[in-house]
Each structure stands twice: as C-alpha cells, then as structure tokens.
Amino acid sequence: MSTTIPDTGSNTTKESAATKPNKGGLEGIVAAATALSKVEGTVGRLIYHGYNIHAICRTTSFEEVAHLLWFGHLPNVQELSDLKAHLAEARTLPPQVAQLLRLLPATTEPMDALRTAVSAWGALTIEGKATIEQAIAVTARFPVFLAAFHRFRTGQEPLEARPELGYAANYLYLLTGQEPKTEHVRALDAYLVLLADHGMNASTFTARVVASTESDIVSAVVAALGALKGPLHGGAPSKVLDMLNAIGTVENTEPWLRNALAHGDRLMGFGHRVYKTEDPRAEELRAMARIADPTGFVLARHVEERAIALLEAEKPGRRLYTNVEFYSAVLLASVGLPGDLFTPTFAASRVVGWTAHILEQTKNNRLIRPEADYTGPMDLPFVPLNER
Ligand SMILES: CC(C)(COP(=O)(O)OP(=O)(O)OC[C@H]1O[C@@H](n2cnc3c(N)ncnc32)[C@H](O)[C@@H]1OP(=O)(O)O)[C@@H](O)C(=O)NCCC(=O)NCCS
C-alpha cells in the first residue's frame, strides 16, 4: 500500500494523513484506486460512480444501483429487466445448503449461518476467475440463505422465491410468507441502496485483499462477511436497538448515556473513521425513520441529540456524529426485521459493493501485501529444548 496511487479528485483522508500522527488502523492510507464510490469525510458526501447518494437513494431501486456498480452505468429499461431476471433465476436454495442450515442450532448467529451457507454454496458451485455472472449468483443467494435459516430456526420450512418480486420484496416475502407491504419494500429498498458500497471500508478492503491473491470470489465474500460482523463495522445496528430499548424513555436518556460514557463504553451508531461530520446516509435514514416509525423516532431523535452533545462534552474535538447504523436500526425494526437480522441484511446489500470491488481488483490486480514494523526482540541466543 502506498500513498502514491494517483487520485483524480480531492482526497480528504490523504490530507489528514499528512497532518496527523499515525494512530494505526491504516488511517489515511490509500489502499486501492476505485471508480466505484467516493467517501468525502469532511463534507459528508458519498458518491456512487458519479452520482451523489442523496440524488439516487429514494428514486433508484437496489437493482439499478447493483447495475451501476457492476456494469459502470445506470441501466436502461431493458438492462434493468435483464438484470432482475438474472437475479430472480439465481434465487435457488441447493438441498445441501438447506440441509446444512437446518442442522445449525437455532441459537446460531444469523451472520454465522449466512457465512457458512455462502461458503458451502461456493464449494458446490464456484470455479475459476471472478465474473459478473458469479457476482449476480452469489448476491441473489444472500436473501435466500438468510430467510431459509430464519425459517428453520423458527420451526418453519423455507419458501420458494417469487421471480416477479424485486430483491427487497422477495427477501421480506421469503422471511414471512406474507405479501410484503409497499411501504416496507420502499424503506428496505432505499436502505439497501444506501448501504451498497462505501469506499475502502474494512470488509471491502478484506474482499480486495483476498481477491488480490487470485483466490475465488466466494472466498473473498466469505472473508468480507467475517469483517462486517464486528461491532466496529457492521455489527452495530442491533446494539443500537438494544441501547434504545435499554434507555426506554426520554427521561432516562441523559443518565443512561452519561453512565455508559463514564464506564468507557462506546455509543453504538456514533463516530466514524472517515466522516468527521454527519454521515450523509444517516440524514436519509433519519428522514425515512421519521415516517416509518413516528413513535420510535421521538425517542431515537432525543437519544441522538443528547448523545452528540455528550460526546462533544466528553470527547472534545473528536467530531463524533451519527453514523449509518443509528437510524438503520430504527428503520429495519420498523420493517419488522428482528435485531439479529440487521447485520446480515446489511451484508445482503454490501455484497454488491464487495463483488464490484473484487471484479475491479481482478481487472488490474497486484497482490496486496503491506509490511509491518517489527517490534519484537532481535539476536536472542538460541537455547535447545532440553536446556530450557
Ligand atoms: C466507528 C469507529 C470504530 C471509528 O473508530 P476510529 O476511527 O478508530 O476512532 P477511534 O477509535 O480512534 O476513536 C477516537 C476517539 O473517539 C472516541 N469514540 C469514537 N467513537 C465513539 C463512540 N461511538 N462512543 C464513544 N466514544 C467514541 C474513542 O474512544 C476515542 O477517544 P480517545 O481519543 O479519548 O481515545 C468508532 O467511532 C466506534 O467504535 N463507533 C461505535 C461503533 C459503531 O457505531 N460502529 C459502526 C460504524 S459505521
């Protein structure tokens, strides 16, 4: 990794790297060149291949964004219909994967079940260099595997996917067996659009590292799933829901947050490595959450305002604001998803970004192999085992 890869636009992370001491975590390091998305942390802007996220998130379907990221342009009517048909055809649950999911204990974390299912499916299916067809095939399976596991763990049988439904609607149908409500489909679709890609986040970087070794697409996706699971990345939204439930009332907000901060806890849904102002996705999700759950929104908004004020007081100058996870939790709960499906639902969106990055990495590949500062001892005299 170097800071010498040419960049065509202003890069706030590079600027900050030049002026700040290295705090680890590869902060400010440019690890790849990408045409997929651009995250501008100081102004709070997110661009998907030329389009500001605010311009597309409530008018563009998830499939359109997938087309943009995989093929490099927004689809026309025919291209969109072709992509939807390919995704719909690929919504199958192989019996071996179904059997595996059935055998997992009901207490298995859905992220672990998804990772296991995707890995098993890859072992049965995937060969050779990463292709767009493989990207579509693996993406289409995410909601199928997740819903199948959810139904097994709740004592139900998986349902057949419905080809006439879009990605978001089919996912809701597969989970519940009910006709999905239009407002739920719209909210979930907009959520999926907002989460599809996000620069060199930890899971995307992981996917690119694995792809750079010329490993297969499923291995890269499985590794990315592992990275996304952690609470510092995609594992936060169910913890946001836990926090909101634990706070419970507007009156309890301030003492609860103060107590958490006094114990050194991190407030889930706040702070970001790159955004030093509000995450633009949080702005969109807040507006959607206000409509989707007006009652829950009142508490969430109060918690948000108090959390930002207390973080500024307790951690002056750190610029900790609402990130994508805070209102994701409110929105996904309003759609009826259980908390432990929040992170795998995030994955069902981000898999598009991962696979687009894997294809981009594969196109112009060089092994990603950084160095480490060695901090261990040197020149120790060797003592044989029987003399130690
Ligand atoms: C997202 C996150 C991992 C970014 O971390 P980072 O860039 O490595 O930031 P750092 O860990 O260097 O934190 C900088 C300072 O802010 C504090 N901080 C960062 N996020 C915080 C939070 N959510 N609550 C309380 N303090 C926080 C850190 O404790 C640290 O304080 P210090 O300088 O006194 O040690 C971090 O903000 C976080 O843990 N947020 C909560 C989890 C979350 O919402 N994850 C989803 C991310 S989209």
Side-chain angles (χ1 to χ4, degrees), residues 231-233 266-267 269-271 273 311 315 318 320 323 325:
L232 299 191
H233 186 8
R266 288 186 177 217
L267 303 182
F270 298 92
R273 172 62 62 80
L311 284 167
K315 305 262 173 191
R318 309 303 198 290
L320 302 169
N323 65 42
E325 307 288 17

Side-chain angles (χ1 to χ4, degrees), residues 9 80 89 96 109 146 162 199 221 231 241 274 342 358 360 379:
L80 181 60
E89 266 163 37
Q96 299 95 323
E109 275 194 44
L146 265 171
R162 283 176 46 193
V221 165
L241 196 63
V274 182
F342 292 178
I358 292 164
E360 191 179 54
D379 302 327

Side-chain angles (χ1 to χ4, degrees), residues 250 290 293-305 327:
V250 163
R290 189 195 296 269
D293 180 10
T295 314
F297 182 81
V298 173
L299 176 65
R301 182 69 176 139
H302 183 74
V303 170
E304 180 191 26
E305 286 171 348
Y327 284 106

